[in-house]
């Protein structure tokens, strides 16, 4: 059995109207790939260092499933819309079973 994986998005939105267009494709890709949304925005308390204004964490059954979401045609379309609407750090991290 593979370990779960998490896609973590740390985002500063620079163009909210354009970002809303990205969110349509992002949401569709999440539904297509069975993402479980664990965090979507919400109040944040910074304990050390700095953080982006928005954090999103998605859970997938495996690293491969997380990568398939990110590489999907639907999400790729969304990424193109996001590139001029936000500054983002995005990564996949393997979790524990």
């Amino acid at each position: 059995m593979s370990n779960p994986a998490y896609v973590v998005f740390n985002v500063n939105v620079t163009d909210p109207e354009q970002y809303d267009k990205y969110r349509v494709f992002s949401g569709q890709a999440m539904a297509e790939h069975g993402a479980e949304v664990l965090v979507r925005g919400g109040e944040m308390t910074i304990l050390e260092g700095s953080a982006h204004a928005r954090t999103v964490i998605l859970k997938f059954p495996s690293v491969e499933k997380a990568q398939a979401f990110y590489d999907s045609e639907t999400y790729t379309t969304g990424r193109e819309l996001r590139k001029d609407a936000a500054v983002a750090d995005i990564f996949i991290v393997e979790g524990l079973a």
Side-chain angles (χ1 to χ4, degrees):
M1 175 152 86
S2 58
N3 291 341
Y6 303 88
V7 180
V8 180
F9 301 78
N10 292 310
V11 182
N12 287 328
V13 177
T14 56
D15 182 342
E17 188 174 307
Q18 182 71 14
Y19 193 78
D20 284 344
K21 294 175 185 175
Y22 152 77
R23 289 175 61 168
V24 170
F25 287 93
S26 177
Q28 183 178 337
M30 288 188 283
E32 290 171 358
H33 292 272
E36 180 182 347
V37 180
L38 301 178
V39 174
R40 183 182 278 162
E43 189 173 328
M44 185 181 333
T45 301
I46 300 170
L47 300 176
E48 294 186 30
S50 60
H52 291 283
R54 179 173 175 78
T55 297
V56 175
I57 301 175
L58 306 178
K59 182 179 180 182
F60 293 89
S62 67
V63 169
E64 294 78 17
K65 298 280 187 181
Q67 189 70 55
F69 154 79
Y70 186 80
D71 293 338
S72 71
E73 184 176 331
T74 303
Y75 191 71
T76 298
T77 300
R79 283 197 330 248
E80 285 299 308
L81 293 168
R82 188 196 68 237
K83 74 179 182 183
D84 295 325
V87 176
D89 295 319
I90 302 168
F91 54 91
I92 297 171
V93 61
E94 184 177 20
L96 301 174

